[in-house]
Amino acid sequence: MTQPQEALAEPVSDRQPASPHLPDPITPSGALLCPPEEIIDPAVLAEAIEAECRDAGGDAMALRGLITRHLNAAAKAGRANIGAAFEAHPLRAREMVHAYAYLTDGLVVTAFWAARRFLHPLPNPTASERLALCAVGGYGRAEMSPQSDVDLLFLTPYKITPWAESVIESTLYILWDLHMKVGHASRTVKDCLRLGKQDYTIRTSLIELRFLAGDKALEAELHTKLHQGLFAGTGKEFIEAKLDERSERHKKQGGQRYMLEPNVKEGKGGLRDLQSLFWIAKYIHHVDKIEDLVPLGVFTPEEYWAFEQAENFLWAVRAHLHLIAGRPADQLTFDMQIEVAERMGYADSPGRRGVEHFMQDYFRHATMVGELTRIFLTALEADHAKQLPGLMGLLRRRKVKPGYAVRQNRLDVKDEKKFLADKLNLLRIFEEALRTGLLIHPDAMRLITANLDLIDDDMRGDKEAARIFLDLLVKHGNPERALRRMNELGALSAFIPEFAPIVAMMQFNIYHSYTVDEHTIQCISQLAQIEREELVEDLPVASRILKKGVNRKVLYLALLFHDIGKGREEDHSVLGAKIARAVLPRFHLKPREAEDVEWLVRYHLLMSDMAQKRDLSDPRTIRSFARAVKTKKRLDLLTVLTVCDIRGVGPETWNNWKAQLLRNLYRQTADGLENGLEDLNRDKQSAEARRELREALEGWDKADVRAELARHYDPYLQGLSTQTQVIIAGLLQGLGDDEIRIDLTPDDDRDATRATFALADHPGIFARIAGALALVGANVVDARTYTTKDGYATPVFWIQDAEGNPYSAGKLDRLRAMISRTLKGEVLARAELTKKDKFKKREKSFRFPTTVSFDNEGSEIYTIIEVDTRDRPGLLYDLARTLSERNLQIASAVIATYGAQAVDSFYVKDMFGLKIHSESKQKALEAKLKEAVQAGTDRANG
């Protein structure tokens, strides 16, 4: 970020190359990562080229080959030396970008010199045959990543002459021969002014114009005319154009800062945002370095330091991405996150991986970039260089309380000393912002961040402070706005220090779309939306619970603390409950309220796990869950919290299937708690199911209805809907022993396609169907399999396509044909899956330890085997095949996936119809299952 004159030593302004022997001398644009001579020595390079070209004759191609060979050797040596120095000092990014820019300067200037000296010498140039070479864009700032583009401007006084055209062409060919990615333009001074008026991208690149070689006077003329004839008086329109461009860029990158795989350059909080600040600052304030904004009062010294830290960090990340990929790469994908974290020195710690520490730092810097942008733009508004924010809702806003003022349509403090005299004002200002609907002015934000030390233990225990904070949560209808601003300013962690470790904490998986702190705020936002009755159609049960009335303080605090224990070795639910127990006395709750919050934090995953990992048709599942929640009040609280928690994970996490499971669990548990758990039994459920099936088969012959009802065991009647049982009844009618019948029907309630089968029973049916479905790329979300008394199997699988949707009607015939071929043995699933069962490159880095657990209490009839491991195509098939090979009968499989993690629960019994109680059998089976998982993982990684 230097002036053009500082970038290079003062070159001569004549029309000849700077010297008969040497290119224009270059000087570093900033501190370098290693000594200049280890990067490139243009004088030595030019002498070597001169010596060899002198004796090479006049063959232009041969001369170009000689020049390129020398430059290529210099480029390789320079890049190797910079790369080695950066590997040794992986955080010295500022010196690194200047080093790559210095190397590029040496190559470009020498190529330009050689083209003029050897390929197109001009002893007596005319006034029109002047030529200046300038760097623009990022190269103009002398900031280059290893794979950055080289943006050049060839400047001529008038129309380009044949000589200038030849020099430009030869220079570019030499650079292309070096495999440099060159963006170039050849223009006159008038062209630059005309095009800059029309195109803000061109105007932006001209802001960063930096002279490299040739006619200095020509570049100086352009520099003067740009500032006098183009930039002057157009600041406001330039700012608005850059902000519009920034908004569009953010939309393309996902629209929010906490993307799982952020774009380091173009994403929200990325390098381009910092560069936009620099462009606007240079345009409006005519500064050449961001630090020049400190004396102007735009940034404080601390804010400038934060800018430097964020910029250095982001440059380091981008450079490591380029070096790992060997090409321009700005997307911080999961596989890249691992390698970049290792290169930058991040190591694993108890409970957290090094990559998670790295991404936490990344998001902290991205947040700071947002804060700096907000401060800078507000300063521009104060100078009337930028339009004020819209007056949306201004008429509805209330008059501010004494001690506050409205400046630039934002809430500010009238008197800083009076404000700080009562430290509770550091909380009250957030409530006042919610009450009035005003944004907080950056000057007030600065005041808060500069005085966070006032939020001490006395204030944390103050009853009035607790009231203010609780009112932020429950009184104004949009608590997420206050919490997000408090979090970004550090006030939330100051008031609740236990919250600090999860700020910007990233969880390295593809299930969570947000950092832990942002997920917490998203959950609270979901609760506020339900309370505002915005989600009645999507969430009828949760909306009804809140409308009837629950303890809102308990719910909001439980959501605030539910993930506060993450990132440590101990189970985060257990640790979170301990933290809640220690923190809650500060909020002066009633003892029963504190108990409920602690219980909700401890068991916040209970309902989700029970709904997604257990068979809800088994009465013991419902009884077990009912005994855990004990009361209808806690059931209501836990249901709402669970809904908010799942929806707060990310925009694609909630679906009809999860909604249906939770509603089913809630309804059955509520019935049990209100009417007695003794009503939850198989006999009662079976009798009710038989009555409903009999009514559904009303058009059938009575003898056929009796036969259909008699052929099924109770678990079948309890485990499937009447609608599914009617389909199976039709499939079974007249079924031959060697026949396979399949029905594929969309199940809207589960966001899946229901695949229903009827065929003669034999060992391994479940595994074979799982293999057939894996072969066609189907994702199994739930499965049941039953055997009739007369020897037929009636498996039911709910499947989705690769995008997580039910299969379209056009794909069902192909799906049916492929499944049939596999079940008939025409296609061997095991062999075919070996070819298909592969991890995508970006997903190979996810690690989940495999655990196998046995539960003989969760079901009256079956042993529940739960396998928690890394998800992949073919996993269900491998597990089911292993169980079948051990002579176990699979009654049902409940499939839960959390991004790259899968939890498959199998309800099984042995060949004698008994549970697996033997510890030795359990250990042997556990070993076989882990062996199958590992073999499949190795295959998928291959």
Side-chain angles (χ1 to χ4, degrees), residues 541-542 545 555 600 607 625 634-644 662-663 666:
V541 173
I545 290 170
L555 256 182
L600 286 168
M607 189 172 194
F625 179 63
R634 279 193 174 172
L635 174 64
D636 286 346
L637 289 168
L638 183 58
T639 300
V640 177
L641 183 142
T642 302
V643 168
C644 295
L662 289 173
R663 288 170 195 159
Y666 175 82

Side-chain angles (χ1 to χ4, degrees), residues 31 55 87 123 142 207 220 229 265 298 420 430 467 551 626 714 804 807:
D55 304 323
E87 188 174 342
I207 294 171
K265 182 181 178 185
V298 176
L420 295 175
F430 294 102
R467 182 205 62 76
N551 191 315
D714 284 351
Y807 278 85

Side-chain angles (χ1 to χ4, degrees), residues 566-582:
K566 283 206 166 176
R568 268 66 69 91
E569 283 187 282
E570 191 174 353
D571 181 317
H572 82 278
S573 299
V574 176
L575 181 57
K578 290 178 183 176
I579 293 171
R581 190 185 312 144

Side-chain angles (χ1 to χ4, degrees), residues 754-805:
R754 184 180 60 230
T756 311
F757 302 84
L759 66 165
D761 188 30
H762 55 78
I765 280 286
F766 188 97
R768 285 179 60 192
I769 294 176
L773 294 172
L775 269 183
V776 296
N779 177 36
V780 178
V781 295
D782 196 10
R784 301 281 187 274
T785 184
Y786 304 96
T787 303
T788 66
K789 295 175 182 176
D790 51 347
Y792 291 101
T794 57
V796 184
F797 285 70
W798 284 267
I799 57 176
Q800 295 174 335
D801 63 17
E803 282 73 47
N805 300 313

Side-chain angles (χ1 to χ4, degrees), residues 345-420:
Y346 287 88
D348 293 352
S349 65
R352 294 190 71 197
R353 296 178 66 179
V355 65
E356 292 175 323
H357 290 291
F358 161 64
M359 290 305 296
Q360 185 169 26
D361 281 351
Y362 178 89
F363 289 123
R364 281 174 171 159
H365 285 298
T367 300
M368 180 50 65
V369 171
E371 287 303 302
L372 293 171
T373 302
R374 190 164 20 249
I375 290 165
F376 181 67
L377 295 180
T378 307
L380 291 175
E381 289 166 11
D383 294 336
H384 309 293
K386 175 185 175 291
Q387 292 180 4
L388 291 171
L391 303 181
M392 177 189 65
L394 192 59
L395 295 176
R396 297 195 305 274
R397 288 176 182 154
R398 302 172 184 176
K399 185 178 178 181
V400 296
K401 290 181 178 178
Y404 296 102
V406 179
R407 285 200 300 120
Q408 297 167 262
N409 293 336
R410 293 182 174 91
L411 183 68
D412 203 358
V413 172
K414 264 188 181 178
D415 185 313
E416 292 187 1
K417 285 187 178 179
K418 288 183 180 178
F419 179 84
L420 295 175

Side-chain angles (χ1 to χ4, degrees), residues 17-73:
S19 139
H21 303 292
L22 296 177
D24 293 359
I26 64 169
T27 55
S29 298
L32 303 179
L33 194 57
C34 40
E37 62 274 12
E38 291 183 13
I39 299 171
I40 193 168
D41 192 330
V44 172
L45 181 60
E47 286 174 4
I49 293 172
E50 176 96 22
E52 196 161 350
C53 287
R54 194 184 301 121
D55 304 323
D59 185 340
M61 288 297 291
L63 285 170
R64 203 176 93 197
L66 288 172
I67 295 164
T68 302
R69 179 163 51 81
H70 281 282
L71 288 173
N72 196 40

Side-chain angles (χ1 to χ4, degrees), residues 609-622 682 715 766 782-786 855 857-866 883 888-895 904-910 914-916:
D609 285 349
M610 197 66 78
Q612 296 183 72
K613 299 178 185 178
R614 290 293 179 264
D615 183 352
L616 299 185
S617 68
D618 190 328
R620 187 172 287 192
T621 300
I622 309 302
R682 288 189 178 275
F766 188 97
D782 196 10
R784 301 281 187 274
T785 184
Y786 304 96
D855 177 6
E857 301 302 320
S859 172
E860 294 174 355
I861 304 172
Y862 304 104
T863 293
I864 305 170
I865 302 175
E866 184 176 285
L883 294 173
L888 294 176
Q889 302 172 43
I890 301 172
S892 64
V894 182
I895 315 300
D904 291 355
S905 302
F906 298 91
Y907 283 67
V908 305
K909 53 187 175 181
D910 65 17
L914 302 174
K915 292 183 179 183
I916 308 162

